[in-house]
Amino acid sequence: MAVQRRKPAKRKRTSARPPKRGPGVPASRDHALSLVREMMLIRRFEEKADELYSLGKIRGFLHLYIGEEAVCVGAMRGLTSDDSVVATYREHGHAISRGISPGTVMAEMYGKVNGCSRGRGGSMHLFDVSRKFYGGHAIVGAGIPFAVGLALADKMESKPHVTACFFGDGAVDEGEFHESMNMASLWKLPVLFICENNLYAMGTALDRHESVRDIAAHARVYGVHAEQVDGMDVLAVEAAVERNAKAIRRDGTPRFLEILTYRFRGHSMADPVLYRSKEEVSEWMTRDPISSFLLLLRNAGLVGDVDVEKLEKSVAAEIDEAVRFAESGEWEAVEDLTRDVYTPAGARS
């Protein structure tokens, strides 16, 4: 007997459409140029990383941030140099925005000792204590309890600092997310949780892994103030982070931002991106954070063709220097390979 198959229900993706840009304008021409240059720098850095990975210069995993530049660039402008930053494995942009030089980031991806983690971490483990940049965490959600610990330390030492913790929408499913939210709220810790909701946990769409797709609602359950922000608008992100960091310093309680964004590339270099349509990607690319911001600046009379040409040349020179720095770096000496590996005396046969 033939078995009748039921037609699968059509899935609703209520948050799969890009938000429209708000009416904001930059405070000044210099501020506008610095924002757009930094976004350009991160975009060109990642495009070069893509090229170098294909040439075998960079090994291991590589997760590109292309399309999400407005999030890290805007967010870092809303923090101070005394605040702590914890990021995920897709963190090249966060590291560069935090002030780590593109050269040391590129060298780290090459595995050279002049990298920011001395070549031992690679793409997913960028680290710089001097800039209070604490990763680079390869495990989904692993940075969240770590950020809570940093904030607890600041509170116990009565330091007026904020810990900004970046993570993706997939991390919201993890148990450590809920445990951390509960503890941060209960103990009133100065953490700014920043969920970069790009709609996909690797290749799984939000509506396939979240029973409650309003991610900000997950934070409100724990009594944490939460807002939703347009992550394709660098000014909106900057304003939201600045406003909420200020509130945390004033009230001493955690806050949560769900930043709506979109990655134009796959999850990693090995991802053929078969799980989303070309139409969906094209629609989000109309809100490209760099080109749409440039259009805003042109319409406001703040930049012209000459400015853009100068920015592109300046960024290209900085990327060339970053590659030269990585290429000229040295490999770690073979006799140092077991250094920092902890083995109890007498444990080895």
Side-chain angles (χ1 to χ4, degrees):
M1 183 176 70
V3 177
Q4 287 190 328
R5 295 183 180 276
R6 297 180 61 184
K7 186 177 181 181
K10 189 175 182 180
R11 293 182 295 124
K12 294 176 64 178
R13 293 186 180 180
T14 54
S15 58
R17 299 177 67 83
K20 295 182 179 178
R21 173 177 284 280
V25 293
S28 70
R29 171 180 152 83
D30 287 345
H31 183 59
L33 290 175
S34 69
L35 290 173
V36 75
R37 185 187 187 283
E38 198 164 295
M39 288 195 289
M40 279 184 178
L41 178 64
I42 294 168
R43 177 72 60 90
R44 300 294 175 253
F45 179 92
E46 297 237 299
E47 290 171 347
K48 177 59 73 174
D50 182 345
E51 176 187 331
L52 294 169
Y53 188 90
S54 300
L55 293 173
K57 298 279 189 177
I58 298 171
R59 298 180 182 178
F61 292 98
L62 182 66
H63 305 86
L64 299 178
Y65 195 60
I66 293 174
E68 302 187 36
E69 296 89 349
V71 181
C72 65
V73 172
M76 296 305 169
R77 302 304 176 100
L79 302 171
T80 73
S81 59
D82 290 325
D83 295 331
S84 299
V85 175
V86 179
T88 68
Y89 50 78
R90 198 184 304 280
E91 88 283 28
H92 309 149
H94 305 79
I96 292 172
S97 286
R98 190 59 177 174
I100 304 176
S101 75
T104 58
V105 175
M106 188 66 83
E108 184 59 37
M109 292 159 68
Y110 267 62
K112 300 289 187 69
V113 293
N114 56 343
C116 60
S117 301
R118 294 188 57 78
R120 290 192 164 199
S123 170
M124 294 193 285
H125 300 98
L126 306 179
F127 206 86
D128 188 337
V129 174
S130 69
R131 298 187 183 279
K132 302 192 74 170
F133 186 82
Y134 300 107
H137 293 262
I139 299 172
V140 173
I144 303 175
F146 183 64
V148 170
L150 289 171
L152 176 61
D154 281 338
K155 179 171 183 176
M156 293 177 70
E157 295 178 354
S158 300
K159 294 179 178 176
H161 306 330
V162 171
T163 296
C165 181
F166 295 85
F167 51 91
D169 48 286
V172 176
D173 299 341
E174 300 281 343
E176 56 201 339
F177 167 83
H178 296 276
E179 294 170 17
S180 298
M181 293 297 295
N182 181 53
M183 291 175 68
S185 180
L186 181 64
W187 294 350
K188 295 181 170 48
L189 302 180
V191 188
L192 179 57
F193 297 100
I194 301 177
C195 177
E196 296 180 277
N197 180 6
N198 63 22
L199 303 176
Y200 291 93
M202 294 183 68
T204 306
L206 185 68
D207 60 344
R208 287 184 178 273
H209 71 86
E210 279 291 345
S211 58
V212 178
R213 293 192 286 279
D214 179 1
I215 288 182
H218 291 260
R220 296 190 185 103
V221 166
Y222 295 98
V224 175
H225 173 86
E227 299 177 18
Q228 199 175 58
V229 184
D230 177 5
M232 308 304 270
D233 183 343
V234 66
L235 296 176
V237 176
E238 179 185 33
V241 171
E242 186 175 22
R243 181 176 63 254
N244 282 277
K246 183 178 180 181
I248 291 171
R249 279 183 239 283
R250 182 191 64 223
D251 303 334
T253 54
R255 290 196 166 218
F256 185 99
L257 294 177
E258 178 192 358
I259 301 190
L260 298 171
T261 185
Y262 198 80
R263 56 173 160 77
F264 296 161
R265 302 292 185 88
H267 165 70
S268 71
M269 294 296 287
D271 181 2
V273 200
L274 301 177
Y275 46 84
R276 59 189 187 186
S277 68
K278 292 180 180 178
E279 290 76 16
E280 179 186 304
V281 177
S282 297
E283 187 173 8
W284 276 90
M285 289 185 75
T286 63
R287 286 293 322 279
D288 183 309
I290 299 175
S291 59
S292 60
F293 188 54
L294 276 174
L295 179 61
L296 174 76
L297 300 181
R298 287 178 187 275
N299 290 339
L302 291 173
V303 302
D305 292 341
V306 174
D307 298 308
V308 176
E309 186 177 343
K310 286 182 178 177
L311 287 174
E312 289 283 12
K313 285 184 177 178
S314 169
V315 166
E318 191 166 351
I319 297 302
D320 288 345
E321 172 57 24
V323 175
R324 187 206 62 75
F325 184 79
E327 293 276 357
S328 64
E330 297 182 358
W331 302 106
E332 185 168 31
V334 173
E335 55 268 29
D336 287 344
L337 287 180
T338 58
R339 181 171 52 82
D340 302 327
V341 176
Y342 302 103
T343 304
R348 299 177 64 185
S349 57

